[in-house]
Amino acid sequence: MNVGAIALPQLPPERFRGVVEAAEEAGLEELWLWEDCFLTSGVATVSAALAWTDRLTVGVGLLPVPLRNVAIAAMELATLHRLFPGRARIGVGHGVQDWMGQVGARAGSPMTLLREHVTALRELLAGERVTVDGRYVHLDGVALDWPPTAAAPVLVGASGPKTLRLAGEIGDGVIISAGNTPDDVRAARAVIGDSPLVVYLHTATGPGAAERLEGERVRWGYDTIEDRAVSGDADAVAEQVGRWAEAGADTVVLQPAPDDPDPEGFVRFAATVATIRRGTPAAAR
């Protein structure tokens, strides 16, 4: 199981490079980014993060498909995979419907759009020439001149059972948001089968951790934060993360609160948690 961390888009873009470089220097396995309306672009930030680093895997979870023509999405992802082979993990999803409505991109059937978009996207990334006339996706003999030279997995974000079932069917992996308990992860795993599963996990450490997690409870409308978050020092968090791993997560991505006072410190903390999970002795950390 991998352990990663999220660099939240609430961080001003000019602060982003410091977080990325801290993650690389600390040996973090995966740094994940969001494309939330109306904060930062997923493609611009992942491109910059990959260019600033040599080893770090950078994920985007997720790119809302209503905002992109599938041909543009395929061109963007193919370019990333050819520039930085094996270092990008890209997820897509139907997006937050209220946000999609704000920009005039809300689909009558988000599930139909997601199916059509992901199916065509994977075919384009595989180097195929695609013709399709769907409800939302229309392509006439489109093929990429520069498709990826190796596999370019497309992960799909999901929440409810119907979307989870679809994501497990059409994607190369599934992403589920923070706030899911270990029991929720087990239920998701039962729906998606063997598909790789990325799980975000609310995490807080250091002074004010309890207050930040209470803020997350209120922000997301949870009745309780218990079993929805982890906190403590690196050893404590590493032990708690094991519960989500045992429930079926292949990658657990630690998600800080937006008011975390030290984003650079948080990614270093996540790297330490990952080291502990790998079983590295304390003297070697």
Side-chain angles (χ1 to χ4, degrees):
M1 186 207 72
N2 287 343
V3 174
I6 295 173
L8 292 174
Q10 285 84 357
L11 190 70
E14 59 270 20
R15 288 280 312 278
F16 183 54
R17 183 166 187 164
V19 176
V20 171
E21 292 178 344
E24 171 94 342
E25 291 165 4
L28 185 69
E29 296 167 328
E30 300 185 8
L31 182 69
W32 283 76
L33 317 171
W34 293 354
E35 183 171 83
D36 269 5
C37 297
F38 299 95
L39 295 163
T40 55
S41 155
V43 174
T45 49
V46 71
S47 300
L50 290 166
W52 290 330
T53 57
D54 297 313
R55 177 204 51 78
L56 186 66
T57 294
V58 185
V60 180
L62 46 76
L63 302 175
V65 300
L67 298 182
R68 285 179 175 80
N69 180 282
V70 69
I72 292 295
M75 291 163 61
E76 290 175 330
L77 270 57
T79 301
L80 285 170
H81 285 293
R82 290 187 71 113
L83 286 172
F84 310 102
R87 293 180 54 212
R89 299 188 73 187
I90 309 298
V92 301
H94 54 51
V96 176
Q97 295 309 294
D98 286 347
W99 288 342
M100 299 304 101
Q102 281 185 269
V103 299
R106 185 167 188 161
S109 176
M111 297 279 280
T112 300
L113 169 58
L114 187 61
R115 177 184 290 277
E116 291 182 0
H117 187 106
V118 172
T119 300
L121 179 60
R122 293 180 69 211
E123 291 172 349
L124 289 167
L125 292 173
E128 298 178 23
R129 184 170 298 278
V130 182
T131 296
V132 60
D133 186 21
R135 179 173 175 182
Y136 297 103
V137 174
H138 307 276
L139 298 172
D140 183 7
V142 176
L144 298 176
D145 285 287
W146 299 107
T149 56
V154 177
L155 285 72
V156 180
S159 52
K162 289 183 179 179
T163 314
L164 280 166
R165 193 171 296 109
L166 178 63
E169 175 190 344
I170 64 175
D172 299 300
V174 178
I175 302 169
I176 62 175
S177 63
N180 283 284
T181 69
D183 284 344
D184 294 331
V185 173
R186 283 188 195 90
R189 171 57 72 193
V191 172
I192 69 174
D194 295 332
S195 190
L197 179 60
V198 177
V199 178
Y200 296 156
L201 180 58
H202 293 299
T203 306
T205 188
E211 290 79 5
R212 288 195 295 279
L213 289 183
E214 173 60 14
E216 291 292 80
R217 185 195 69 77
V218 173
R219 179 181 179 220
W220 294 98
Y222 306 140
D223 55 352
T224 177
I225 200 67
E226 185 178 356
D227 270 357
R228 300 183 188 276
V230 295
S231 62
D233 63 16
D235 288 293
V237 168
E239 182 177 357
Q240 294 170 72
V241 162
R243 299 179 59 220
W244 278 261
E246 290 165 4
D250 298 298
T251 301
V252 174
V253 186
L254 306 185
Q255 178 177 321
D259 58 348
D260 189 285
D262 185 6
E264 293 85 358
F266 187 86
V267 297
R268 295 187 189 100
F269 172 80
T272 301
V273 172
T275 299
I276 295 169
R277 289 291 308 169
R278 288 194 298 266
T280 304
R285 292 177 205 159

